Amino acid sequence: MSDGSGGLESGRKRATRLRDRVERHALAGLTVATVAVLAVVFYYPVGTVLVESVVVDGAVTLGVFADLLRDPFYFGELARLFAGEDPVAVVRALVAPDRRLGIVGFTAYQAALSTLASVALGLPAAYLLARFEFPGRRTLRSLTIVPFVLPSIMVAVGFVATFGRNGTLNALLAAVGLGPVELMFSLEAIVIAHAFYNAPLVARVTTAAWESVDAGAVETARSLGAGPLRSFLDVVAPQVYPAVLMGAALTFVFTFGTFPIVLALGGFELATVEVFVFRLARDLNYAEAAALAVVELVISLAVLGAYLRYEARHTVTSRGVRPLPRRPLVPSAPTAGALLSRLGLGVYGVVAALVFLAPIASMVLASVTGGDGALTLDHYRFLVERQRTGAAFQVRPWPAVRNSLVFAAASALVALPMGVVVAVVTTRRYRGRKLVDAVAMAPFAVSGILVGLGLLRGLVFGVEVAGWRIAVAGSAAIVAAHAVAGYPFVVRTVAPGLDSLDRSLIESARALGASRARVLRDVELPLVWPGVVAGAAFAVAISMGEFTATVVLATGADAYTMPVAIERFIGRRLGPATAMGCVLLVVTGLSFVVIERLGGEYDGI
Amino acid sequence: MGSERDERRGEGEPPIAVELEGVGKRYDGAVAVEDVDLAIREGEFFTLVGPSGCGKTTTLRLIAGFEEPTAGTVRFGGRDVSGVPPEGRNVGVVFQNYALFPHMTVGENVGYGLRFSDPPGDVSRAERVRELLDLVDLPGTEERDPESLSGGQKQRVSMARALAPGPDLLLLDEPMSALDARLRERLRVQVREIQRELGITTVYVTHDQEEALSVSDRVAVMRGGTPEQVAEPRTVYRRPASRFVAEFVGDNNVFEGTVAGEPGDGENGDEDGDQEGPVSVPVDVDGATLRVAVGGNDRGADGDPGIGDRIAFCVRPQHLRVGRTENGLEATVESAEFLGETTRIHLAWGDRELLVRTEDPLSGTVVVGFDPADAHVIDVDGG
């Protein structure tokens, strides 16, 4: 308030003013930077691919789409409908036993089956986690996130090691005198692998919803005369059901766009849309690849959109509820009902162990088992040997590990600030927030192949800007693709914390003189720090496991990552692939531990 | 409507600190506040009171800068502050839920605002924090974790934090609502004392009319996003400007009827022949004729009611005397609430409910009446 006593004071004031001005615009600046990154490494590349699907030889045409829709190879019997045939005849053909589904139809079919399997496998886990108390419950709850971030190609290797002709399953069956089963390259293998990925997701969201059911509501229903079953159906189920639906919708979208699992377990015989887009792109048939990718995107977005509409109408926000009390897993009084539910959970436990633990265990086992069935370190020796003597064009282990680590660190550094900024921008209330949310979260739903293809065609091959040819190195494009794939996870781990922060904390800080960016630094981020750390862990894990976009972009001999290395090994022999898978498992696990240490304590998300 | 009524004040009043002119706020078409005209003077303890949803908190948030108005202007000391963010307005805000930063100590909380401005006076940051904690009667709590404090203590820390940077304006948003009744009474006295000591302009939001009347210099009673009356607490209580204010501020009996005669008609200065009091008119209410004082009611341009006008007036329960025959109404006792010092009795008079305060419980049929001078005319609707 005083008028100052000389130049020193006024100099300080000027510095303060400058700092204020920088701070006031810091958030806006970061937002602009995020938008710019998204535009350059996501919307522009994806846009170029989409343009390629409608521009043929410089003319705009929907011909590519029209051909696609009328091709039974893609749409099966439905293609006849698009070709203008009688709908009744098409429906009759569809219910006939020898119906043709086409690539798109098969993709939807396997996604639907995978969704059913995931829900069937996920719900008992939710029941167990939400309603029973037992040692290790919290740990198990935290572990449900693990399958989702495991590198998909590694899981595929694990499934090959389990269900392959010489896999552990057949070894076990042979030991008890049963004949070998052939599960590889079958729909069953794909569905089980998808359930491995997505059942924990279903379990997670369902558990969270179940835990937020207020015990008071159930007690009210009971006191009004509803029995246990009736109160479950009338009070609990309606609150849990939307979560199950959300898990199912996400599962469908994820499995509809599946790539590495199908590539490894199904081969091109059981190709899904994503695999075919990859194949078309590899054969340089870009227009058809782009058109097919658009069809895939439209279907995915339609399912997500339908779900989001449903969610908007059915979301019940209940805060500060008293959760239902958990029962001990070992019943105190062994009644018939109590024993039956425990028996059911026991059977489920065996199935779950088989699905979730067998692939990882089999992979580890296969990596130390020789062709003759004896324990050996040959596969690891192969990796060491390859590293020492491998030719320049061959995949060597160390560059793969090094690339994975560098890409993971670099993409996490990009994804973290992007994710935090998007979380901040989408948790504030204003008109058009939904649109911003959708634009920012689109990378979640867009296939990796599409992103990879766009980056390759748009940036790596180079673009002409004002007479300058700008080309981006393959490794930079990989980092960009990984950051784009990873930052939605940062948003998802940070946004709920920010959203539940008391708005008056932020307003108090602002009234006390803090700029918006300063409040973020001083108040919001410290309070949601566990979410930020979890987001970093996610970003790293996603980058380490990302296969789809990487395999498109890692055309050069020097930019391959561990998952790409595994895929190249798997084509020849399983042994080295499983050994490489174990390396990936260890490196990913270690990264998780390091991030957790760096970020301080947090109790999982 | 009523806001101008009380603006006729003497010269030498303190200058206006905060002025709202035609302020409105809409959210997606829904009106939160509308046509708010307020002038808050420097050093004044000004209270916004009303039921939930009346727009009082929105009005406070518009002053703080957490929201920007969709219509009208907010001025601080004559300066338009639209577009000035909260951190540029030099206001202190205290919320109902305290909003203490849970990851900071009490001292860090109180000192947070001093990171952005130098402490007023020639003291260090630490000294200023100590001063403020002394002021709110929590000396030596700098190192405490806010979570270890009681609700009342948290609210005082929140107050200290808001005051530490020496704001021009203190904004209190239902600061007592989360506390129990006894503590609330004690704390509001303390808040008032601190406000007087610092002489800081204060805007206080509450839904509790008793709290509003007890601490404020002036009160704005809000309804549906607009102030219905802005006046000193006594005026609001004694001369409510609308039926809503009459019923919101304290218990009241509101009567509606038709003017049945000229002012002074049938007024014969009976008994003691008192002609000094205000002139009264007879009003027909559900067949009963009640005399109601008019004039001296500050009714201004409305003038005196004429025959046939619809008229609404109110009589406080303590002015309805049991056994009084003037304006006597025969009513039956429905129920009674024992309140300690008095008993609130619900009477049925025809279809209407009447409230009476007595010291003793009543039962059966009673006659209650009131002095015409104790009736306050709220509204006259000329035919």
Side-chain angles (χ1 to χ4, degrees):
Chain A
M1 294 291 157
S2 69
D3 275 329
S5 52
L8 188 73
E9 182 113 342
S10 74
R12 225 183 86 195
K13 268 192 179 153
R14 214 172 304 140
T16 313
R17 252 204 308 275
L18 185 68
R19 190 199 67 191
D20 283 355
R21 202 172 311 151
V22 170
E23 273 182 14
R24 192 154 296 165
H25 301 292
L27 201 63
L30 279 172
T31 309
V32 170
T34 301
V35 170
V37 170
L38 267 184
V40 171
V41 307
F42 180 73
Y43 279 100
Y44 169 70
V46 169
T48 58
V49 177
L50 301 189
V51 166
E52 266 178 276
S53 69
V54 289
V55 178
V56 177
D57 298 329
V60 177
T61 169
L62 287 175
V64 183
F65 279 102
D67 290 347
L68 205 67
L69 289 175
R70 289 196 212 105
D71 190 344
F73 176 74
Y74 289 118
F75 281 91
E77 308 291 351
L78 273 182
R80 291 164 52 194
L81 189 69
F82 295 128
E85 281 189 41
D86 178 26
V88 179
V90 173
V91 170
R92 203 165 290 148
L94 267 176
V95 295
D98 61 338
R99 66 179 178 268
R100 294 168 302 164
L101 287 171
I103 297 268
V104 176
F106 170 74
T107 307
Y109 177 60
Q110 63 82 25
L113 285 183
S114 302
T115 304
L116 275 181
S118 301
V119 170
L121 199 59
L123 286 188
Y127 174 58
L128 178 71
L129 288 169
R131 299 295 295 118
F132 291 94
E133 189 57 81
F134 52 93
R137 180 185 61 81
R138 293 178 64 89
T139 313
L140 191 62
R141 196 181 191 286
S142 312
L143 282 177
T144 52
I145 199 65
V146 171
F148 198 69
V149 297
L150 280 182
S152 47
I153 193 74
M154 188 191 89
V155 173
V157 168
F159 270 82
V160 174
T162 310
F163 298 111
R165 194 184 301 268
N166 302 315
T168 42
L169 182 65
N170 276 334
L172 277 177
L173 288 176
V176 295
L178 293 169
V181 290
E182 191 59 69
L183 272 177
M184 282 310 294
F185 305 114
S186 71
L187 185 58
E188 288 85 347
I190 293 172
V191 168
I192 295 173
H194 282 162
F196 172 93
Y197 257 94
N198 295 292
L201 176 77
V202 173
R204 250 185 121 64
V205 293
T206 309
T207 305
W210 212 324
E211 282 171 344
S212 70
V213 173
D214 189 5
V218 175
E219 285 159 6
T220 306
R222 294 295 297 275
S223 70
L224 290 169
L229 182 64
R230 204 41 213 275
S231 66
F232 174 83
L233 291 177
D234 290 349
V235 178
V236 179
Q239 294 187 57
V240 172
Y241 173 67
V244 179
L245 209 62
M246 172 171 107
L250 288 177
T251 302
F252 186 89
V253 170
F254 289 143
T255 54
F256 191 79
T258 184
F259 179 61
I261 298 266
V262 178
L263 190 63
L265 297 181
F268 284 122
E269 297 85 59
L270 282 173
T272 56
V273 172
E274 187 87 345
V275 174
F276 228 80
V277 172
F278 175 66
R279 189 168 164 181
L280 287 168
R282 204 189 53 187
D283 299 343
L284 304 181
N285 190 350
Y286 289 120
E288 201 169 335
L292 193 55
V294 171
V295 169
E296 182 190 8
L297 183 62
V298 166
I299 294 173
S300 291
L301 289 181
V303 172
L304 263 190
Y307 167 70
L308 289 176
R309 281 180 78 94
Y310 170 84
E311 188 195 35
R313 265 180 294 131
H314 289 82
T315 304
V316 190
T317 48
S318 49
R319 275 186 188 153
V321 296
R322 178 169 52 95
L324 295 161
R326 288 193 171 81
R327 280 165 284 174
L329 194 56
V330 180
S332 45
T335 61
L339 286 179
L340 197 68
S341 66
R342 269 60 167 196
L343 186 68
L345 286 173
V347 172
Y348 170 74
V350 173
V351 174
L354 210 65
V355 173
F356 293 110
L357 298 180
I360 306 296
S362 301
M363 181 185 78
V364 176
L365 193 64
S367 77
V368 292
T369 308
D372 54 355
L375 288 183
T376 171
L377 284 175
D378 275 354
H379 304 314
Y380 292 94
R381 238 174 259 132
F382 170 85
L383 292 183
V384 176
E385 198 66 19
R386 171 61 71 84
Q387 174 62 32
R388 263 208 324 226
T389 61
F393 62 87
Q394 282 179 316
V395 172
R396 286 177 295 157
W398 170 242
V401 174
R402 189 197 55 211
N403 284 342
S404 279
L405 286 173
V406 170
F407 293 159
S411 60
L413 283 179
V414 178
L416 261 187
M418 276 177 78
V420 168
V421 166
V422 171
V424 170
V425 171
T426 53
T427 48
R428 292 159 79 190
R429 273 155 196 80
Y430 51 88
R431 200 186 293 260
R433 181 177 69 132
K434 285 232 165 84
L435 182 71
V436 174
D437 208 3
V439 167
M441 296 314 279
F444 226 19
V446 174
S447 87
I449 293 282
L450 195 58
V451 176
L453 205 56
L455 282 168
L456 188 71
R457 306 267 295 153
L459 294 181
V460 177
F461 291 173
V463 279
E464 199 98 7
V465 178
W468 292 74
R469 183 144 195 88
I470 296 177
V472 173
S475 40
I478 291 177
V479 169
H482 287 189
V484 165
Y487 93 88
F489 288 88
V490 181
V491 176
R492 283 294 174 250
T493 57
V494 175
L498 287 181
D499 208 22
S500 66
L501 272 191
D502 194 336
R503 194 173 51 159
S504 59
L505 286 174
I506 294 147
E507 291 174 347
S508 291
R510 293 205 70 182
L512 289 167
S515 64
R516 188 67 193 80
R518 207 41 210 264
V519 177
L520 186 64
R521 200 195 85 182
D522 288 351
V523 179
E524 292 170 277
L525 284 184
L527 290 175
V528 301
W529 194 243
V532 177
V533 172
F538 267 110
V540 165
I542 294 296
S543 170
M544 292 249 187
E546 214 288 333
F547 173 74
T548 314
T550 317
V551 78
V552 175
L553 290 166
T555 42
D558 59 337
Y560 51 84
T561 59
M562 287 190 277
V564 176
I566 291 173
E567 201 271 336
R568 300 219 175 134
F569 286 140
I570 210 177
R572 294 174 188 88
R573 280 194 296 157
L574 186 62
T578 56
M580 196 68 213
C582 289
V583 173
L584 177 55
L585 185 63
V586 169
V587 173
T588 308
L590 281 180
S591 311
F592 252 81
V593 173
V594 168
I595 289 166
E596 202 166 342
R597 284 286 140 79
L598 283 179
E601 58 183 56
Y602 76 99
D603 42 32
I605 53 154
Chain B
M1 48 181 283
S3 57
E4 305 85 20
R5 198 164 296 159
D6 232 62
E7 298 300 329
R8 299 179 286 103
R9 291 175 153 233
E11 301 292 311
E13 282 286 343
I16 289 167
V18 179
E19 190 181 9
L20 280 75
E21 193 185 309
V23 167
K25 176 73 184 175
R26 285 162 177 272
Y27 298 99
D28 292 330
V31 174
V33 296
E34 204 170 31
D35 296 333
V36 177
D37 292 302
L38 294 174
I40 299 160
R41 294 174 189 283
E42 266 178 28
E44 190 171 32
F45 196 110
F46 191 92
T47 299
L48 299 166
V49 65
S52 55
C54 73
K56 54 192 191 296
T57 291
T58 303
T59 306
L60 184 100
R61 296 173 60 78
L62 289 165
I63 297 173
F66 299 141
E67 317 273 356
E68 284 289 330
T70 44
T73 320
V74 179
R75 291 193 197 88
F76 282 15
R79 188 171 60 99
D80 184 351
V81 291
S82 53
V84 178
E87 65 266 28
R89 296 196 178 194
N90 202 22
V91 295
V93 183
V94 175
F95 289 100
Q96 174 182 348
N97 57 2
Y98 330 122
L100 296 179
F101 306 131
H103 58 302
M104 298 183 191
T105 63
V106 167
E108 284 168 346
N109 264 286
V110 176
Y112 185 75
L114 302 174
R115 296 186 192 185
F116 312 106
S117 63
D118 294 330
D122 204 12
V123 296
S124 73
R125 214 180 124 189
E127 282 170 79
R128 178 68 180 165
V129 170
R130 182 145 23 91
E131 264 177 32
L132 263 300
L133 286 174
D134 285 348
L135 181 72
V136 298
D137 212 11
L138 286 168
T141 51
E142 280 93 338
E143 297 306 318
R144 295 275 294 273
D145 176 2
E147 283 311 303
S148 71
L149 303 177
S150 71
Q153 289 171 325
K154 282 181 190 166
Q155 199 51 287
R156 274 141 64 197
V157 172
S158 179
M159 180 99 175
R161 182 178 67 179
L163 290 170
D168 298 330
L169 183 63
L170 181 61
L171 304 173
L172 304 162
D173 187 7
E174 304 243 12
M176 316 285 185
S177 301
L179 306 173
D180 70 65
R182 186 50 66 89
L183 187 58
R184 213 154 55 207
E185 278 174 31
R186 227 174 42 217
L187 202 53
R188 79 185 180 212
V189 172
Q190 207 177 1
V191 166
R192 180 61 159 151
E193 277 171 3
I194 291 172
Q195 188 267 340
R196 281 222 178 91
E197 194 179 323
L198 301 177
I200 185 170
T201 314
T202 300
V203 182
Y204 189 93
V205 164
T206 181
H207 63 271
D208 182 340
Q209 45 90 19
E210 189 188 309
E211 203 166 277
L213 297 185
S214 69
V215 294
S216 318
D217 290 322
R218 277 194 306 152
V219 179
V221 184
M222 293 191 66
R223 179 199 189 192
T226 311
E228 289 229 339
Q229 187 172 17
V230 182
E232 286 166 13
R234 276 169 204 284
T235 312
V236 169
Y237 186 78
R238 290 189 181 152
R239 309 205 173 288
S242 68
R243 181 179 180 140
F244 170 76
V245 175
E247 288 182 320
F248 181 76
V249 179
D251 286 342
N252 225 335
N253 296 296
V254 176
F255 297 89
E256 277 162 353
T258 313
V259 177
E262 296 294 335
D265 261 6
E267 200 168 14
N268 44 23
D270 51 10
E271 289 147 35
D272 48 10
D274 180 10
Q275 291 291 334
E276 308 283 289
V279 192
S280 67
V281 291
V283 177
D284 178 71
V285 179
D286 293 354
T289 301
L290 304 175
R291 297 206 68 89
V292 175
V294 291
N297 259 358
D298 204 5
R299 293 210 50 79
D302 286 357
D304 284 334
I307 294 173
D309 285 355
R310 293 290 297 166
I311 189 168
F313 63 94
C314 59
V315 182
R316 292 280 172 194
Q318 61 269 33
H319 293 141
L320 273 186
R321 304 262 163 72
V322 178
R324 186 175 183 129
T325 51
E326 185 184 16
N327 287 330
L329 307 165
E330 199 177 276
T332 44
V333 176
E334 295 271 292
S335 62
E337 294 169 80
F338 178 61
L339 303 175
E341 274 148 48
T342 60
T343 301
R344 176 160 51 197
I345 301 188
H346 298 254
L347 302 172
W349 175 59
D351 294 340
R352 293 170 188 273
E353 186 191 54
L354 301 178
L355 291 173
V356 180
R357 286 199 182 227
T358 62
E359 278 179 37
D360 306 307
L362 298 175
S363 62
T365 304
V366 293
V367 172
V368 290
F370 60 92
D371 183 336
D374 285 333
H376 167 69
V377 175
I378 302 165
D379 201 19
V380 178
D381 191 5

